[in-house]
Every structure is written in structure tokens, then in C-alpha cells.
Amino acid sequence: MHEEFHKGINEIVDSLRVSADEKDLYAAHYTSVITPRLLLDGDGTNNRLRQYAADYMNDPEEGRFVFDIMIEAASKSKHPLGGVLVEYLSEIRKNRLLYSAINSATFLSCWTKTYIKEGEESGCDSLNHWRFYGQDGAGACIIVPIKQLRENFGDQLFAVQYGKSLRGGGSGAQNRPIIKIRKLLEKRFSNLRKTEANLIKDLDELIKSVMPLLFLFKSESYSSEQEVRTIMQTANYGSQSDVIFDDRDPRRAYVNGGDGLLSNGGIVLFGPKSDTAYAVELLGLISKTQRDIKVFMSEIKYR
């Protein structure tokens, strides 16, 4: 039964991997105003995006949305210790440091799918994204073709799913990832071992199987973000897991993505409140690299 559950979860993970290479499809990442310089300055060896630990995410529901589904499924399971299941999962869900609850580290980079036609690059940004992720409009937005992003991060690029509604019909309803997860969970919960000690062991194994999905499901209130994410999981926050800590105080854990992130076909858009000097500086760096990267200032009206 565990093998069947694990296989089902892996199939869902695979179904969420991004494979599209559409010509006008890009991925936009809102960040600090100096990030483009850090990518292209020097000999180009730093042209890779850092994936930071998921425990830093500013949404308190990050990583916990799937736990809501697990709790709902556990409460409706036929297991005689269903109350223990619900209590155990609820305790994990409310833990502020998710790592300490699931004993695994997750690293992310977050992007917004964006369709851009040539000549429309300076108007492809989002006011809300500048406010939430782009230094209140004074940051920068790195935009790369989705194909380039997929090549840069390999099979680590996934499409985020929004909402947990099980309602709605249609021939494709049963293929929704959230419905598949719910059915797998209900079946697995009912077949966990019946003593409390063994039940907790089985539940810990179940959570490990579900971990790849924890950061791929979010509330439908975020659906306008149309997000794709790179996700990498490590056993811990140690250097033996290729985890690096930056120079901030407190220092923050990250892992590096692949080389050559900002390359031919890339776009850098500076925020509506950023200084044009950053754009001029970057144009100078780009000329040294001989890459075909376009630079624009945002045209959004920002108060």
C-alpha cells in the first residue's frame, strides 16, 4: 500500500513539471535592484540565481496548504485512531519552523509566467508584484524565456496549483492534482497500522512522500500570480548538503541554481521607483558579456 501511495504522489509531482517551450512565454522574478549586477558583474561565474530556504517565505501558509488537505482526509478516514492522525498533523501544521516539524529543508525560487511579445517588454510587469516582491517598486525584475529557465534548473521547475475545491464536474475533474491527492490520502490513512506507535511511524513516512508537493499548492487568493517555482530539497541546512549561508545578519541559507541564468533573450526591467543609473550600469556590464539582453525601465504609474 505504501508503494502504491508513493507511486501516486510521484505521478502528481511529474504532472506538475513545466515542459512548455512557447516562444512568447517568459518567467519573471522580482528582486532587489542590485541582483542583475550581481549576476553579470566580474567573470560571469555568479550568473546563477540563489534558491533560498522556504522557511523564510513571507506567506505564513506556505508549505501548510497540503497539510490542510491531509487533516481533512484524516478526519474522514476509517482508521480507528483518526483523532490521533488529525492531532499529529495539526501540530506539524502550526509549527513556525517547518524544518523542525518535517526534518527536511526546502529551497525555492519563485517566478511568474508572463507572455511578452516583441516591443511590449517595458509594459509586461505587475504593480502588485513590485509592491510585494520588488522593493516597493525600487527593485528589478529578471525575465527569462521559460525554455531558458527550464534548461537552467532542469527537472526542478514546477507549476503551482491554486485552491483546494473538490467541487465541479466535467470529464477532467478526476484528473485534478488536488483530487488525486485527496483520494490517495484517504485510502492510505485507512490502511495505516493500528497501534499508535506504528501509526506515527507510518505517518512520518507518508509525510516524507508528500513533501515534494508541500510548496506547489497555494490558496486560490494567490491565483493571479500564475507562479512557477524551482524546488530543491536537502536533508539539512549543512554544507554537506551543498547549502551556503550569505553575508547578512542573520545569515540566510541558500543553494545555487545552474549557470548562465541571464543570457541571450533575457530581459531586465527596473522598477518604477528605481534609479535609471542602475539600468545604465547594467547596460555597460552587458556590453562586456556580448549577450543579447534587453534593459527597460518600468512604465507603471506608482504612487
Side-chain angles (χ1 to χ4, degrees), residues 182-246:
R182 178 68 173 266
K183 288 185 174 181
L184 284 168
L185 286 168
E186 288 180 352
K187 186 175 182 180
R188 181 65 182 130
F189 281 145
S190 296
N191 288 277
L192 296 180
R193 288 181 287 180
K194 301 303 187 285
T195 65
E196 186 166 341
N198 286 331
L199 173 67
I200 297 303
K201 290 180 181 178
D202 289 348
L203 190 53
D204 284 339
E205 286 299 315
L206 181 151
I207 292 170
K208 287 181 181 178
S209 296
V210 173
M211 272 170 41
L213 295 172
L214 291 185
F215 295 93
L216 293 179
F217 288 82
K218 297 181 68 174
S219 166
E220 59 190 10
S221 61
Y222 293 94
S223 60
S224 62
E225 294 190 349
Q226 290 297 297
E227 199 173 357
V228 293
R229 288 180 164 180
T230 65
I231 296 182
M232 179 177 177
Q233 290 172 322
T234 64
N236 52 52
Y237 282 131
S239 58
Q240 67 270 26
S241 297
D242 295 325
V243 178
I244 307 168
F245 282 82
D246 64 20

Side-chain angles (χ1 to χ4, degrees), residues 51-255:
Q51 297 166 273
Y52 276 95
D55 275 313
Y56 304 139
M57 301 294 282
N58 57 8
D59 176 7
E61 298 300 297
E62 282 284 3
R64 293 158 179 83
F65 196 76
V66 174
F67 273 97
D68 290 338
I69 302 298
M70 285 195 279
I71 291 169
E72 290 177 13
S75 67
K76 295 182 179 180
S77 75
K78 298 177 181 179
H79 197 285
L81 296 176
V84 176
L85 286 171
V86 171
E87 182 179 1
Y88 190 77
L89 291 167
S90 298
E91 285 298 313
I92 294 176
R93 191 213 182 283
K94 70 181 183 181
N95 200 307
R96 286 184 60 198
L97 186 65
L98 200 57
Y99 172 83
S100 62
I102 62 177
N103 199 33
S104 177
T106 302
F107 295 85
L108 307 170
S109 71
C110 304
W111 304 75
T112 295
K113 288 190 294 185
T114 307
Y115 283 93
I116 307 175
K117 292 186 176 180
E118 189 171 356
E120 300 177 359
E121 295 89 348
S122 60
C124 64
D125 48 342
S126 159
L127 185 57
N128 282 337
H129 282 75
W130 284 123
R131 286 174 172 158
F132 294 132
Y133 311 115
Q135 291 188 311
D136 194 28
C141 180
I142 296 169
I143 307 172
V144 299
I146 201 78
K147 180 179 180 180
Q148 168 70 9
L149 187 64
R150 196 162 62 84
E151 291 174 352
N152 191 264
F153 287 98
D155 62 358
Q156 297 177 22
L157 185 63
F158 301 89
V160 174
Q161 304 294 294
Y162 300 94
K164 61 179 180 180
S165 174
L166 304 180
R167 298 186 298 274
S171 59
Q174 297 305 308
N175 292 322
R176 295 175 191 164
I178 199 68
I179 292 180
K180 288 184 176 180
I181 293 172
R182 178 68 173 266
K183 288 185 174 181
L184 284 168
L185 286 168
E186 288 180 352
K187 186 175 182 180
R188 181 65 182 130
F189 281 145
S190 296
N191 288 277
L192 296 180
R193 288 181 287 180
K194 301 303 187 285
T195 65
E196 186 166 341
N198 286 331
L199 173 67
I200 297 303
K201 290 180 181 178
D202 289 348
L203 190 53
D204 284 339
E205 286 299 315
L206 181 151
I207 292 170
K208 287 181 181 178
S209 296
V210 173
M211 272 170 41
L213 295 172
L214 291 185
F215 295 93
L216 293 179
F217 288 82
K218 297 181 68 174
S219 166
E220 59 190 10
S221 61
Y222 293 94
S223 60
S224 62
E225 294 190 349
Q226 290 297 297
E227 199 173 357
V228 293
R229 288 180 164 180
T230 65
I231 296 182
M232 179 177 177
Q233 290 172 322
T234 64
N236 52 52
Y237 282 131
S239 58
Q240 67 270 26
S241 297
D242 295 325
V243 178
I244 307 168
F245 282 82
D246 64 20
D247 296 326
R248 284 181 280 186
D249 186 17
R251 298 163 65 197
R252 296 199 173 195
Y254 69 92
V255 295

